[in-house]
């Protein structure tokens, strides 16, 4: 039985470092990694993403799909149940190593009908909705903060990091960390 690891970031500027940390801590034995190219759209249905489709083609019954957190695979409530149905159909286990979904048996089925248990569906939809809300609020707050900074004449860089020129100047001072602005 193979351990199939799926990784994805939303933009070219992001890294899989956090996912790597979570998955390394999980101690997955002989992982076979499927990593989407940076910038593979979150808006694509997970079953349409190239590397996830490749993972499903490679997988055999009894294999386990590992992800760091649910939202690396799916973004919204509409896609979660689709993915779980495909994993169940192909007799694949899903192991989520971090976040709200990490303690749930997401593939629990009714013994007679074989359908996802209604309690699993409820919890999945509820947690996914909460995750969507959190992501949307973060996006709104970021947008509002950038607009507020813009009205004050700032370009929206982190005050701790300063602008590009501050970072260049900090690099020129031996022994001084780049992440700190010079103190007044």
């Amino acid at each position: 039985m193979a351990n199939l690891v799926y990784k994805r970031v939303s933009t070219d500027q992001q890294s899989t470092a956090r996912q790597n940390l979570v998955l390394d801590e999980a101690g997955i034995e002989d992982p076979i990694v499927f990593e989407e190219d940076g910038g593979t759209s979150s808006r694509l249905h997970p079953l349409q993403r190239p590397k996830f489709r490749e993972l499903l083609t490679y997988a055999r019954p009894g294999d386990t799909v590992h992800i760091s957190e649910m939202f690396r695979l799916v973004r919204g409530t509409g896609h979660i149940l689709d993915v779980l149905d495909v994993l169940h159909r192909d007799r694949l286990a899903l192991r989520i190593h971090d976040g709200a979904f990490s303690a749930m048996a997401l593939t629990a089925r009714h013994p007679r009908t074989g359908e996802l248990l209604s309690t699993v569906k409820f919890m999945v939809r509820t947690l996914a909705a909460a995750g969507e809300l959190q992501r949307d609020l973060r996006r709104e707050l970021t947008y509002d903060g950038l607009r507020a900074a813009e009205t004050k004449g700032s370009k929206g860089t982190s005050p701790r990091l300063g602008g590009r020129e501050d970072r260049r100047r900090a690099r020129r001072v031996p022994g001084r960390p780049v992440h700190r602005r010079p103190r007044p």
Side-chain angles (χ1 to χ4, degrees):
M1 318 255 176
N3 288 308
L4 312 175
V5 172
Y6 179 73
K7 299 180 195 177
R8 184 189 68 80
V9 292
S10 301
T11 68
D12 296 357
Q13 290 77 37
Q14 292 177 323
S15 127
T16 58
R18 184 181 176 288
Q19 293 175 64
N20 294 337
L21 177 67
V22 168
L23 294 164
D24 288 346
E25 287 176 351
I28 301 166
E29 193 173 309
D30 300 323
I32 300 165
V33 177
F34 297 84
E35 185 173 336
E36 296 288 356
D37 292 332
T40 300
S41 178
S42 305
R43 291 181 177 89
L44 274 180
H45 193 290
L47 299 174
Q48 295 174 339
R49 293 190 190 126
K51 289 295 181 176
F52 192 66
R53 284 197 334 247
E54 186 179 322
L55 179 150
L56 292 173
T57 301
Y58 180 89
R60 298 293 171 256
D63 289 351
T64 301
V65 176
H66 296 268
I67 53 177
S68 60
E69 61 180 331
M70 179 61 95
F71 296 109
R72 291 294 96 211
L73 177 58
V74 295
R75 282 311 222 183
T77 55
H79 298 161
I80 291 176
L81 296 175
D82 293 343
V83 169
L84 292 178
D85 282 340
V86 168
L87 295 176
H88 176 69
R89 178 199 70 204
D90 295 348
R91 295 184 292 169
L92 303 173
L94 175 63
R95 180 70 176 93
I96 302 167
H97 294 277
D98 197 22
F101 290 96
S102 62
M104 294 181 64
L106 294 175
T107 53
R109 301 284 171 163
H110 190 279
R112 289 184 293 285
T113 65
E115 294 180 10
L116 271 176
L117 290 175
S118 54
T119 53
V120 171
K121 288 181 186 178
F122 171 77
M123 289 305 296
V124 165
R125 287 180 178 141
T126 301
L127 290 172
E132 281 186 71
L133 174 65
Q134 179 186 15
R135 189 180 64 248
D136 291 347
L137 286 173
R138 187 179 312 130
R139 185 180 307 125
E140 289 171 13
L141 291 172
T142 299
Y143 176 76
D144 290 346
L146 289 171
R147 283 193 51 215
E150 195 175 276
T151 62
K152 292 180 179 178
S154 173
K155 294 186 192 242
T157 59
S158 169
R160 203 175 90 203
L161 292 175
R164 180 178 288 162
E165 189 55 39
D166 285 341
R167 289 191 301 271
R168 280 193 195 127
R169 264 186 269 132
R171 280 189 206 108
R172 292 184 200 130
V173 180
R176 170 174 246 145
V178 175
H179 66 278
R180 292 198 182 142
R181 289 182 104 171
R183 295 181 192 246

